Amino acid sequence: MLTLICSLFFYSTSSAQSSAESLSIHIDADHTDWKYTVGEQPVFKVSVLQNGKKASNVKLKYRIAPEKLSPIKSDSVIVNDNSFDIKAPTLKVPGFLRCEVTSVVNGKTIKKIATVAFSPEAIKPTIEMPADFNQFWSKSIADLKKIPLDAKAELIKEYSTAEVNVYHVSFRNINNSRIYGMLSVPVKPGKYPAALKVPGAGVRSYKGDPNMAKNGVIVLEIGIHGIPVNLDAQVYESLRSGALYAYSSTNLDDKDNYYYKRVYLGCIKALDFLTAQTEYDGKNIIVYGGSQGGALSIVTAALDPRVKYLAANYPALCDVTGYLHNRAGGWPHLFSPANMTYNNKKDKLETCKYYDVVNFAKNLKVPGFYSWGFNDETCPPTSMYAAYNSITAPKELMIYKETGHSTIPEQRDKFMNWILTKFNK
């Protein structure tokens, strides 16, 4: 099922306005939860204020389209009041549709989106699971276990507190590479549950998670690129625009050497490192993260039975082949119109089957907490629902419909409280 998303980009969740702008736009739908059944016609209700008053002679443009695809309706209007309605087309299959409204003020474009869903619980994945999917990963993990951990750690005083010691750590991974991260350990002697914090996309440094650790949890925050995570910012900037540019498609034509094989197996090796800590309680491990980290949380929990819980915000790498079926695919948008010609090849499609989060989601056996917003333009909700609907394990989904590829304080609090509640059982 497609979900209808009407979106106006905005600088806050309710308006598109900065101190230099006099125009604010707000958009809502005639269903308060922004959910519709297939065949229903949604109405987007747009309100506009100019200098805090009713708009006068303001030109707006709008477009309605399935996420990331070409518009199926577009027009422009002159607003001489503070509101108008847009009757949007319906969807004939489950999924999402996006309405985008823009206006130009003082040479700057103000944009807002709002997104409604059509029977999102009925969205099915497009990616196929290979017959040897489980064998592929079982053999890969068996080979990984033959590699000595060779762990190293250095106390980082400037990141540590009176309650938590933070260490820069590393350990061996496949292909003679290493995984680097920050380990946060409670100072008070005792046995503690462990958490693996996996990163969102990008190339950056990390400082660990002492705030989580002070609640009585050993936390390992890892990077995925095989480089130390405490270097000067300029190093990461150079790698981001150089050697690691577009890393998510590196070796996509070879399932045995695709970039994410080392990453996924590195997460398993990180569990080896965590369970080797003398402070570990021997039974409780959770993995958590957002975006790419949401994807890695699902993957790690599906591959390793030592994980007891997972928490994932707006997971990436979900149902990436959606674009081949006339709907949005997940980040990194390997088969979007811009990338279709280069990536729509048999060998690359075959590789994706072994790495798509949907196929790991099908194998999950542990409880998970999931959260995202309908206005996410980086990880389209269609792709995330394709993965979520594939999960048969206990699951909880928290939707903050107006949010994009970010979280709000309430959402973050519920996310972390869910984790701590599991540890306190």
Side-chain angles (χ1 to χ4, degrees):
M1 177 184 302
L2 269 180
T3 300
L4 176 59
I5 298 180
C6 176
S7 17
L8 285 172
F9 230 151
F10 47 100
Y11 301 109
S12 73
T13 57
S14 60
S15 66
Q17 188 174 26
S18 73
S19 59
E21 294 163 352
S22 60
L23 192 72
S24 66
I25 304 171
H26 179 81
I27 187 167
D28 208 341
D30 60 336
H31 286 194
T32 56
D33 61 359
W34 291 13
K35 286 187 177 182
Y36 298 79
T37 58
V38 170
E40 281 190 283
Q41 183 179 43
V43 177
F44 294 99
K45 309 182 81 63
V46 182
S47 58
V48 185
L49 291 177
Q50 190 176 37
N51 295 316
K53 302 177 181 179
K54 288 185 179 182
S56 176
N57 199 36
V58 173
K59 184 177 181 179
L60 298 175
K61 292 182 179 180
Y62 70 84
R63 64 195 298 271
I64 298 176
E67 303 164 281
K68 315 298 286 186
L69 301 182
S70 300
I72 56 178
K73 181 177 182 178
S74 59
D75 204 349
S76 60
V77 295
I78 302 296
V79 179
N80 283 300
D81 201 343
N82 69 325
S83 64
F84 67 97
D85 293 345
I86 302 173
K87 292 183 178 180
T90 188
L91 293 180
K92 297 181 180 179
V93 294
F96 286 80
L97 187 72
R98 177 156 289 145
C99 168
E100 174 186 290
V101 178
T102 60
S103 184
V104 178
V105 178
N106 297 327
K108 185 174 183 178
T109 299
I110 301 173
K111 173 179 141 185
K112 179 166 180 175
I113 63 173
T115 304
V116 300
F118 287 90
S119 306
E121 295 81 6
I123 294 173
K124 297 185 182 302
T126 63
I127 193 77
E128 298 175 355
M129 177 180 273
D132 66 340
F133 179 85
N134 292 328
Q135 295 96 313
F136 175 84
W137 285 108
S138 293
K139 182 182 183 304
S140 297
I141 292 173
D143 292 340
L144 177 73
K145 295 298 183 182
K146 299 173 185 177
I147 300 173
L149 193 59
D150 186 29
K152 300 179 181 179
E154 177 188 1
L155 179 67
I156 307 298
K157 292 182 179 180
E158 58 265 40
Y159 296 165
S160 301
T161 69
E163 299 172 279
V164 177
N165 284 327
V166 179
Y167 303 84
H168 185 254
V169 302
S170 72
F171 41 89
R172 287 185 63 187
N173 193 19
I174 63 170
N175 301 333
N176 293 314
S177 67
R178 296 185 73 84
I179 289 287
Y180 292 82
M182 288 291 182
L183 178 69
S184 302
V185 183
V187 170
K188 183 179 179 181
K191 295 293 185 179
Y192 299 100
L196 175 61
K197 183 177 182 181
V198 279
V203 188
R204 64 182 72 86
S205 62
Y206 298 96
K207 295 185 177 181
D209 198 341
N211 286 331
M212 169 73 88
K214 74 179 182 181
N215 287 291
V217 182
I218 304 167
V219 185
L220 173 61
E221 181 179 28
I222 62 170
I224 65 167
H225 300 299
I227 56 175
V229 296
N230 62 345
L231 303 177
D232 184 80
Q234 184 57 49
V235 175
Y236 302 110
E237 177 60 33
S238 297
L239 289 168
R240 189 181 305 122
S241 56
L244 292 176
Y245 179 75
Y247 66 83
S248 58
S249 60
T250 299
N251 293 333
L252 185 59
D253 56 356
D254 181 356
K255 73 177 188 293
D256 292 310
N257 291 294
Y258 179 42
Y259 194 88
Y260 276 104
K261 184 175 185 181
R262 183 183 52 76
V263 176
Y264 289 5
L265 292 177
C267 292
I268 304 302
K269 206 67 175 176
L271 297 180
D272 293 345
F273 177 86
L274 270 173
T275 56
Q277 301 307 303
T278 57
E279 297 87 354
Y280 172 54
D281 68 9
K283 58 182 179 180
N284 293 304
I285 296 182
I286 194 166
V287 58
Y288 68 101
S291 193
Q292 177 186 261
L296 297 178
S297 298
I298 295 171
V299 169
T300 307
L303 287 177
D304 199 311
R306 291 176 293 185
V307 176
K308 302 305 179 187
Y309 305 98
L310 75 109
N313 280 326
Y314 37 78
L317 291 156
C318 294
D319 204 43
V320 297
T321 51
Y323 289 103
L324 304 177
H325 299 265
N326 198 35
R327 74 184 202 199
W331 181 94
H333 308 291
L334 296 169
F335 303 100
S336 67
N339 296 322
M340 183 78 75
T341 301
Y342 183 72
N343 285 334
N344 190 14
K345 309 288 175 60
K346 182 178 179 180
D347 50 4
K348 295 183 179 184
L349 286 166
E350 187 66 15
T351 294
C352 288
K353 296 176 184 178
Y354 292 88
Y355 293 88
D356 197 292
V357 166
V358 164
N359 290 335
F360 294 93
K362 292 176 180 177
N363 284 341
L364 282 173
K365 294 180 173 61
V366 298
F369 179 90
Y370 307 85
S371 185
W372 57 75
F374 286 178
N375 282 344
D376 197 323
E377 296 185 280
T378 301
C379 294
T382 298
S383 68
M384 295 187 285
Y385 270 104
Y388 182 80
N389 293 343
S390 299
I391 298 171
T392 58
K395 57 186 179 180
E396 181 179 345
L397 176 61
M398 190 71 64
I399 294 294
Y400 290 82
K401 64 181 190 292
E402 291 189 45
T403 61
H405 200 64
S406 61
T407 54
I408 60 175
E410 177 188 343
Q411 187 178 10
R412 293 192 291 273
D413 289 345
K414 288 188 176 181
F415 185 88
M416 299 311 295
N417 287 338
W418 187 90
I419 295 174
L420 295 174
T421 298
K422 298 304 178 185
F423 282 152
N424 292 329
K425 281 188 174 181

